[in-house]
């Protein structure tokens, strides 16, 4: 029988790319007591993040990230959502010298995520130009990513578990898969809890699509018509909101106001509320 880790790991599930969520998380970092901090960033950034936490200038940190090519996605897009958290981390070791900070994401999964995002963008462009959707190509792409991501989350939970033992309270920042990470931490005998800084949060079409593919991987069947409908909703989200907005936050909140109501995710409440089967009509 395993030994339960001491203390608490509180997992904060943040919507992907939403800067307002990162700003809320920065407030948590600045206003909370904790002795370990786990960031959902590539482990390749551990050295630079440690220097930032010791007080290195933020601009110097970003320049080093650029020079070393440590981020596989466009740096401006990455910095857009992560900057509030990094600014909250900067100099934190001067106030909390005993604090341990870790970037826990596997570099190969960070790279794969960027590649899949590029492939999804390519599929969206094709649909915008031709009007056609290759369902099998979408399914293969998302299944490949989710299978790799599932293995990664289990390994990341072990990584966090090993480094959180003996800590009174650890804060762990996660993406939309925070629930899965919390479950895997619990399997590692960690006292893990899940928090949602942004509630309610309406899942975007691509996030709904990912959940449908997850269900398929567990043996459920999603009808092609439903799968096609969600893909077309994502294409509309990109074409009518992302491409016509100055920032992702502007695009998301315009979509949430104008589109989420008529899309009617019946039986699928916003993030943070127990969910069952998703219905679109």
């Amino acid at each position: 029988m395993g030994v339960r880790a001491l203390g608490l790991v509180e997992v904060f599930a943040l919507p992907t790319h939403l800067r307002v969520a990162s700003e809320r998380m920065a407030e948590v970092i600045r206003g909370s007591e904790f002795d370990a901090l786990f960031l959902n960033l590539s482990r390749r950034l551990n050295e630079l993040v440690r220097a930032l936490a010791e007080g290195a200038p933020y601009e110097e940190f970003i320049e080093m990230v650029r020079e070393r090519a440590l981020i596989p996605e466009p740096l401006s897009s990455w910095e857009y959502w992560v900057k509030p958290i990094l600014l909250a981390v900067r100099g934190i070791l001067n106030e909390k010298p005993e604090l341990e900070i870790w970037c826990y994401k596997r570099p190969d999964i960070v790279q794969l995520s960027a590649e899949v995002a590029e492939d999804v963008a390519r599929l969206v462009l094709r649909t915008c130009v031709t009007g056609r959707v290759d369902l099998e190509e979408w399914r293969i792409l998302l299944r490949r990513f989710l299978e790799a991501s599932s293995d990664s989350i289990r390994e990341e939970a072990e990584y966090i578990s090993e480094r959180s033992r003996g800590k009174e309270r650890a804060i762990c920042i996660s993406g939309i898969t925070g629930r899965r990470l919390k479950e895997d931490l619990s399997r590692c005998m960690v006292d893990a809890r899940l928090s949602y800084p942004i509630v309610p949060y309406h899942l975007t079409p691509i996030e709904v699509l990912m959940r449908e593919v997850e269900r398929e991987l567990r043996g459920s069947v999603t009808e092609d018509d439903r799968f096609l409908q969600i893909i077309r909703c994502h294409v509309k989200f990109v074409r009518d909101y992302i491409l016509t907005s100055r920032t992702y936050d502007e695009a998301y909140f315009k979509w949430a106001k104008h589109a989420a109501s008529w899309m009617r995710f019946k039986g699928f409440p916003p993030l943070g509320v127990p969910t069952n089967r998703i219905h679109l009509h």
Side-chain angles (χ1 to χ4, degrees), residues 118-128 137-138 141:
E118 290 180 1
D119 288 341
V120 167
R122 174 179 53 80
L123 292 175
V124 168
L125 177 60
R126 181 192 299 171
T127 298
C128 288
E137 191 169 3
W138 278 86
L141 174 63

Side-chain angles (χ1 to χ4, degrees), residues 7-175:
L8 166 71
V9 175
E10 189 165 2
V11 178
F12 288 84
L14 303 187
T16 306
H17 304 311
L18 203 58
R19 186 179 176 110
V20 68
S22 297
E23 291 171 346
R24 186 76 55 83
M25 193 66 233
E27 293 174 4
V28 172
I29 293 172
R30 291 190 177 101
S32 302
E33 291 298 324
F34 52 94
D35 49 7
L37 176 61
F38 294 91
L39 304 176
N40 58 333
L41 304 175
S42 170
R43 293 173 197 174
R44 298 179 67 197
L45 290 169
N46 267 320
E47 178 186 343
L48 291 182
V49 167
R50 175 78 185 188
L52 185 70
E54 291 173 347
Y58 176 78
E59 293 74 14
E60 180 180 306
F61 168 85
I62 290 297
E63 186 58 32
M64 293 299 292
V65 170
R66 179 183 292 108
E67 287 181 1
R68 300 183 187 181
L70 297 177
I71 302 300
E73 64 184 287
L75 187 58
S76 60
S77 300
W78 178 79
E79 189 182 3
Y80 170 77
W81 69 265
V82 79
K83 184 175 181 177
I85 293 173
L86 293 174
L87 290 178
V89 167
R90 182 177 179 269
I92 197 171
L93 290 178
N94 297 325
E95 303 171 8
K96 301 178 179 182
E98 303 301 319
L99 176 68
E100 292 189 13
I101 303 177
W102 300 95
C103 302
Y104 69 86
K105 297 294 294 182
R106 275 176 32 188
D108 61 317
I109 291 299
V110 174
Q111 178 68 40
L112 178 61
S113 179
E115 293 172 358
V116 169
E118 290 180 1
D119 288 341
V120 167
R122 174 179 53 80
L123 292 175
V124 168
L125 177 60
R126 181 192 299 171
T127 298
C128 288
V129 172
T130 69
R132 296 192 297 272
V133 175
D134 187 331
L135 290 180
E136 191 60 23
E137 191 169 3
W138 278 86
R139 277 191 166 102
I140 291 173
L141 174 63
L142 297 182
R143 282 173 183 166
R144 177 170 66 92
F145 173 70
L146 288 171
E147 287 171 346
S149 179
S150 180
D151 292 339
S152 172
I153 292 172
R154 282 192 292 269
E155 192 275 339
E156 289 163 0
E158 294 173 0
Y159 183 95
I160 294 167
S161 172
E162 292 171 0
R163 289 158 180 78
S164 64
R165 295 187 184 278
K167 302 300 180 184
E168 187 172 338
R169 182 189 182 218
I171 285 179
C172 176
I173 301 175
S174 176

Side-chain angles (χ1 to χ4, degrees), residues 220-235:
S220 298
V221 176
T222 301
E223 295 179 357
D224 285 351
D225 286 348
R226 172 176 172 72
F227 207 85
L228 179 61
Q229 185 180 11
I230 300 172
I231 291 173
R232 291 199 181 280
C233 285
H234 174 64
V235 172

Side-chain angles (χ1 to χ4, degrees), residues 196-216:
Y196 293 96
I198 300 293
V199 176
Y201 170 73
H202 294 280
L203 295 172
T204 61
I206 191 66
E207 290 166 343
V208 173
L209 190 63
M210 298 283 265
R211 290 201 172 191
E212 287 294 295
V213 176
E214 279 186 316
R215 292 179 63 252
E216 288 189 339

